[in-house]
Amino acid sequence: MTDTTPDATARAHALLGELTGTAPIGTWSAPGRVNLIGEHTDYNDGFVLPFAIDRRTVVAVAPRTDGRIRVASTFADEPVEVELSAVPTLFPSDEIPEWAAYPLGVAWAALAASGTDAAGLTGLDLAIASDVPVGAGLSSSAAIEGATAAAVNEVWDLGLDAVALARVGRRAENEAVGAPTGIMDQMAAMLGRDDAGIFLDCRSLEVEVVDLGLAAADLTIVVIDTRVSHAHSTGGYGERRAACERGAAAMGVPALRDVAVADLDRAEGLVRDGVIDEVTFRRMRHVVTEDQRVLDAVAVLREQGPTAIGDLLLASHASMRDDFEISTPELDAAVEAAMGAGAIGARMTGGGFGGAAIALTPLDRVDAVTDAAASAFAAAGFGAPSVFTVSPSQGARRDS
């Protein structure tokens, strides 16, 4: 697959030109991400193994002289503009449209993190375009946050490092947008590397770059986007996070990260004793076993390479389907079709309730997996999926 960033760059530049009649002083971009394994473990202080992808969101920036900040997106009909002096107290807000809360929330959180007084800063126009599919579980939101964070950090000389900017993105998503996500997506968007995963301890924020070795093994990641959209800020995501918190409290630990697989027998005893219900136990079991699968996947990648992680991917999907109950018939069909067509392993990725599945696929089986997914969806009466490949790529950067 070719890098589609130039198209997004051209669209961001064109949008900025429509707004201002000027060329940008700079263009910044950040990637979406695929989570190879480790789903819903991040907000439980656990482990994840995402990688940044070669689809990106671009922010083109022009200065203003009137002390205002304006954000515009190719996904929105109208820009949103506020006084720069109002940004430090802008959130929480019911007045800002959700799409604009992402970039404006980043500006708000970045000023707070750096302790910078908005009064002395240059106003900005930000024009946003993206090639990251929205609602596919590839974290288009973190791509917006990462690109915006990198831009304002440099233009306003805030002095924040990549991890601090990831924290800025998470705060924007949690408090400005109202989506109760962890920090995995933002860390992947900021710290991604070519042909490598980001092994992240979500408690300490310690990061290790893990070589994936896909190119040497003639493998790629096929994304099967079901085109069933999901929304983190509503519904089931928050309910499952609350269940995890109940489970941790019942076990007497700060987070499910502190529960080992060997402790699940004791957790199941809490069901028999009426301390927690069966659903809460199954949510716990997914997170605890998923943490272990991440650790196992990292060890297997280092010792045997990517061809040996297929069973871990499949076990992860089964856990999300049966214990966390965040899969959908479309996602299950995508995984089954990919495996039947020769994928090494497959699983849904992202928050669930829609979005995409990924399939670790030999290069010579990509067309077969693509055709099998299309056929399976047609046979089931589902809308046609969007199928494409992604490569592990660089994190947030200045492009021009």
Side-chain angles (χ1 to χ4, degrees):
M1 174 181 146
T2 57
D3 189 344
T4 53
T5 303
D7 291 335
T9 300
R11 285 184 277 119
H13 285 203
L15 179 58
L16 188 72
E18 292 173 12
L19 287 175
T20 68
T22 63
I25 59 169
T27 304
W28 289 261
S29 70
R33 67 94 189 93
V34 157
N35 192 21
L36 187 61
I37 196 164
E39 221 65 75
H40 288 265
T41 51
D42 58 343
Y43 57 80
N44 288 290
D45 283 358
F47 304 99
V48 292
L49 186 62
F51 62 85
I53 64 173
D54 51 348
R55 291 197 171 206
R56 304 180 74 86
T57 292
V58 177
V59 176
V61 181
R64 297 174 64 115
T65 59
D66 60 356
R68 298 178 70 83
I69 182 169
R70 177 170 54 170
V71 294
S73 169
T74 57
F75 290 101
D77 292 332
E78 298 292 336
V80 174
E81 183 175 332
V82 298
E83 292 284 348
L84 188 54
S85 60
V87 170
T89 57
L90 195 57
F91 295 102
S93 171
D94 296 326
E95 304 298 321
I96 304 297
E98 183 173 290
W99 75 264
Y102 287 100
L104 290 175
V106 165
W108 165 76
L111 292 180
S114 62
T116 301
D117 184 356
L121 297 177
T122 301
L124 298 176
D125 277 309
L126 307 176
I128 302 166
S130 183
D131 287 311
V132 183
V134 175
L138 302 180
S139 201
S140 56
S141 58
I144 294 171
E145 292 154 6
T148 304
V152 299
N153 186 54
E154 184 171 340
V155 174
W156 286 340
D157 194 24
L158 302 181
L160 299 172
D161 64 19
V163 172
L165 292 177
R167 290 179 184 271
V168 161
R170 177 179 60 177
R171 187 178 183 200
E173 190 145 344
N174 290 172
E175 299 181 35
V177 179
T181 59
I183 200 169
M184 171 185 68
D185 297 351
Q186 292 81 9
M187 290 289 280
M190 294 306 304
L191 298 171
R193 298 289 184 272
D194 290 338
D195 203 16
I198 301 298
F199 175 39
L200 171 64
D201 180 333
C202 294
R203 172 171 285 167
S204 68
L205 299 189
E206 292 180 5
V207 167
E208 295 181 42
V209 176
V210 177
D211 290 335
L212 297 179
L214 300 184
D218 291 328
L219 296 172
T220 191
I221 300 291
V222 176
V223 175
I224 304 169
D225 179 4
T226 67
R227 296 186 174 177
V228 177
S229 294
H230 63 179
H232 280 172
S233 57
T234 59
Y237 190 101
E239 293 170 5
R240 279 153 182 78
R241 183 165 185 161
C244 292
E245 292 168 354
R246 287 196 304 273
M251 293 291 287
V253 295
L256 290 182
R257 147 72 172 274
D258 303 298
V259 180
V261 173
D263 297 324
L264 287 173
D265 286 344
R266 181 164 70 91
E268 196 165 17
L270 296 177
V271 179
R272 292 191 296 270
D273 295 339
V275 177
I276 59 173
D277 60 23
E278 175 66 25
V279 171
T280 298
F281 170 71
R282 287 191 286 109
R283 305 298 188 246
M284 294 171 62
R285 183 168 61 188
H286 164 70
V287 173
V288 171
T289 57
E290 186 80 344
D291 266 333
Q292 187 61 52
R293 282 187 288 270
V294 175
L295 298 175
D296 292 345
V298 170
V300 169
L301 283 166
R302 287 171 171 163
E303 295 167 8
Q304 302 176 54
T307 58
I309 65 169
D311 287 347
L312 290 167
L313 300 182
L314 289 170
S316 174
H317 182 78
S319 182
M320 290 185 286
R321 180 191 65 212
D322 300 335
D323 277 353
F324 225 60
E325 296 182 287
I326 56 173
S327 190
T328 65
E330 293 88 349
L331 288 166
D332 295 339
V335 168
E336 183 177 349
M339 294 305 298
I344 289 173
R347 63 186 286 274
M348 61 149 285
T349 189
F353 312 105
I358 57 170
L360 180 62
T361 305
L363 291 174
D364 62 3
R365 301 303 298 169
V366 169
D367 288 345
V369 168
T370 301
D371 292 343
S375 296
F377 275 51
F382 302 146
S386 173
V387 185
F388 51 92
T389 62
V390 293
S391 299
S393 299
Q394 288 292 314
R397 68 191 184 207
R398 180 169 183 164
D399 293 325
S400 64

